[in-house]
Amino acid sequence: MPHPESHRRYSGRRVLLALLAALVLLPFVTWVTLRWVEGQVGDPPPLEWRERDEWRALPVRWTAVAEDGRVPGAGAGSWRDLDRTVERDAAAALTRAAALAARGLEPGDWRPVTAPPGRTFTLPSWAQPQADAGEPPFRSPATRDELDALAEQSVGRFYVDYLLGTWHRLQTTPATPAPPAASAPADAAYSRAFADAEAVIRLRYVDEAGAPVAGLPVGSLALTVEPSVLLVYPALVTDDRGRVHLPVPAGVYRVVAAPQPRGGRTVRYNLHHWFDFPGRVGALPTAIVESAD
């Protein structure tokens, strides 16, 4: 018969081991679970463009970024430097591609987004819509050649491929842009873009009754990734579910110019803040398209 004292010691060791396991394993399991939820465990699988209806989109989280690039810290009233996710060479490549995208801008394609407390982002001169009439040079073969040259680089290629997809889409029906993936070259370029993108922003358009507005040329959009990188998405058109998808690098974002459809249709947006999101796909608040006057 075991001695009572040795039995108590054995029971105590079991309790101690169980307590240590709980203290070590529980935080680890929690950390792995959270990382899995945010899609950060291992290398996430590429996003398949043809399966975009199945993408799991999570609502964006509003945040704050100071003028000098700082973000709120852990303590009340504290601030810390923003963790930069876009390297300098990638930022330069993205800016070169964005300047090509801006060639497709026309007056009235977008409207500035006012950020609290009433400030608007000052677009650089290369991102200003063109005042002259006629076909925008973004559709020209010269722009395609420049995009092809940029696509040979490894940095920023997802964005360049996205712009190539838009270029091919506009060649299909330049007068009335078709929904994304309307042609085989456009579909192939979009597939490469979203497979390589670190993240995707989704924006959905519905009418005042809540029904999706499909096939609507909504205009162009500009957003900043961190305070220093400006990306331009020209000639956006909603898909059959009223959505547009924007491939982006990882980071924090702010929409600085919102798409503006033509034909007297007004859109109500909620895009006044910096934001990020967990996972790979972030869903912006739904845009409401009002009836034309």
Side-chain angles (χ1 to χ4, degrees):
M1 180 176 178
H3 193 278
E5 184 64 27
S6 64
H7 178 72
R8 283 194 297 270
R9 287 198 300 270
Y10 176 71
S11 299
R13 283 198 299 271
R14 286 198 303 176
V15 171
L16 179 60
L17 289 173
L19 181 60
L20 289 174
L23 290 175
V24 174
L25 291 178
L26 183 59
F28 177 75
V29 170
T30 302
W31 178 84
V32 170
T33 302
L34 290 174
R35 301 281 285 188
W36 177 82
V37 169
E38 296 197 1
Q40 298 179 10
V41 171
D43 294 327
L47 293 171
E48 297 289 343
W49 173 242
R50 65 179 181 274
E51 298 175 0
R52 59 192 176 279
D53 292 345
E54 308 302 322
W55 292 350
R56 181 170 178 257
L58 299 176
V60 301
R61 305 174 297 198
W62 303 122
T63 185
V65 177
E67 293 291 332
D68 58 2
R70 293 180 302 154
V71 295
S78 65
W79 292 77
R80 63 176 178 83
D81 291 336
L82 176 67
D83 296 328
R84 303 286 178 171
T85 59
V86 182
E87 299 295 335
R88 181 172 298 180
D89 57 343
L94 291 169
T95 299
R96 287 195 296 271
L100 296 178
R103 292 178 179 179
L105 299 177
E106 296 178 332
D109 268 0
W110 61 27
R111 66 173 189 262
V113 174
T114 302
R119 294 191 303 269
T120 56
F121 181 85
T122 301
L123 293 169
S125 58
W126 58 261
Q128 298 292 339
Q130 299 181 15
D132 59 323
E135 183 179 81
F138 178 78
R139 297 192 179 105
S140 68
T143 297
R144 181 201 57 203
D145 292 342
E146 292 181 71
L147 288 171
D148 283 336
L150 285 178
E152 296 299 321
Q153 304 176 12
S154 59
V155 291
R157 178 165 181 171
F158 75 92
Y159 179 56
V160 177
D161 279 329
Y162 174 84
L163 296 177
L164 280 168
T166 300
W167 188 93
H168 284 292
R169 173 169 58 82
L170 293 175
Q171 305 308 307
T172 307
T173 50
T176 305
S183 68
D187 189 43
Y190 283 134
S191 296
R192 295 192 305 269
F194 288 96
D196 291 341
E198 294 177 313
V200 175
I201 295 172
R202 173 183 287 172
L203 176 57
R204 185 167 178 258
Y205 291 79
V206 301
D207 62 21
E208 293 173 293
V213 181
L216 176 67
V218 294
S220 301
L221 180 146
L223 62 82
T224 55
V225 187
E226 303 171 350
S228 57
V229 182
L230 177 68
L231 299 182
V232 175
Y233 299 84
L236 296 172
V237 181
T238 59
D239 64 11
D240 58 352
R241 298 193 180 189
R243 306 164 306 186
V244 297
H245 295 89
L246 313 174
V248 292
V252 294
Y253 318 91
R254 181 162 74 91
V255 175
V256 296
Q260 179 58 53
R262 300 184 183 278
R265 306 193 76 172
T266 301
V267 181
R268 299 198 302 268
Y269 293 103
N270 179 15
L271 303 172
H272 303 290
H273 305 278
W274 287 92
F275 63 90
D276 61 8
F277 47 88
R280 299 284 300 284
V281 184
L284 284 166
T286 300
I288 310 299
V289 181
E290 298 179 355
S291 301
D293 296 333

